[in-house]
Amino acid sequence: MKLMLSIVFSLLYSSVFSQSNSFIPGKKWEDIDGVAINAHGGGITFVNGVYYWYGEHKTSGRRGNTSLEGVSCYSSKDLYHWKNEGIVLQVENDSSSEITKGCIIERPKVAFNQKTNKYVMWFHLELKGQGYDAAKVAVAVSDSPIGPFKLVQSFRPNKGVWPMDFEDKNKKSFVGENNLRSWTDEWLLAIKNGMLVRRDFHKGQMARDMTLYVDDDSKAYLVFASEENLTLHISELTDDYLNFTERWIRVAAAGHNEAPTVFKKEGIYYMITSGCTGWDPNAARSFKSKSIWGPWESLGNPCLGKDAELTFHSQSTYVLTLKGNKDQFVFMADRWNPKNPIEGTYVWLPIQFENEKPILKWFDKWNLDFLLNK
Ligand code: GAL
């Protein structure tokens, strides 16, 4: 009996212990109070030994993908145990505010700015009642990683500014371009040659799914799905991270990428993105480049094995860099649940490399030793 009890006890202990010190992709993940973590489309910022996970606070039911609360934040020292720090950017009750309750706030990412000592949050903003038509990004700041963040302004980026490498011949529209049938070869060529950049030149470029990337030299870049989600834009931010400089490029024109993530390994920049099928998963894509300004070379789907063509039923949101003698990387993705958004889960997987190509393989359960012992 005593032996039995001790076996049961040790089994229970090991299951609880190992669960709390491992990642179990796709399964419900509770914070230290036992409540499911609510930080979707998120990203992580590491400051003074603490990881801060920012994400979309979703609610139940039909309106659960609109922003009824704001952006949530969790903190952790080990990436397994997370403390809820509450809503750090609150939606507002004032109906004239751009972030009024019921707007859409997606994919928030935060960077600490060493020059100003401020925490700067960028996010995709859609105005209340306008679906996804506004296609804006917005910036908010805070003195503390756990808020409160205050909205500074929203943008259609790069109003009146051509991309850095844009050919003069593409600055003028051609007769009949607006009447091209979508998805024909002529239309795709026109998109590649900047038809939508021209269309939005005076209004500012569209910006939907986005990420924020801070390089080793502290320069920050906003990377976003633009041109009706057909082309990614990479746009340099000013030194305070609050605005755009006039330096920007287009990546994978007409390639239909969204959910961008950027990271850098041994001097090479990588990007993992998704295709565009709304909340439904699709095959991820990957790219590499020697410079943030390209040229970005396509490396294909980084996922291998069962469900690789559906990114293991998830969509990228961020790549976390674990700094060390040799940096290691964690791929973070969302398994959306559009019927009940609050029940969406998280898929975190280690990034492996084969011949300068990032590789993602499924793990039912894993922990950081897998990366740190590499
Ligand atoms: C996805 C996008 C999400 C959200 C959704 C809305 O493609 O990645 O962030 O915008 O569409 O349908």
Side-chain angles (χ1 to χ4, degrees), residues 222-237:
L222 203 73
V223 181
F224 50 94
S226 190
E227 304 178 36
E228 307 287 352
N229 296 344
L230 283 156
T231 299
L232 291 169
H233 290 182
I234 299 182
S235 201
E236 188 184 69
L237 298 181

Side-chain angles (χ1 to χ4, degrees), residues 23 58 63 74 85 106 136 151 154 184 225 269 284 333 338 368:
F23 304 113
K58 306 265 193 195
R63 292 179 68 209
Y74 292 78
E85 300 286 358
E106 288 182 343
K136 291 184 123 185
L151 180 69
S154 73
T184 56
Y269 296 83
L368 294 171

Side-chain angles (χ1 to χ4, degrees), residues 56 106-107 124 132 209 258-259 277-279 315 336:
E56 303 159 24
E106 288 182 343
R107 299 181 177 271
H124 168 201
Y132 280 83
D209 281 8
E258 55 179 16
T277 50
W279 301 116
Q315 185 185 30
W336 304 115

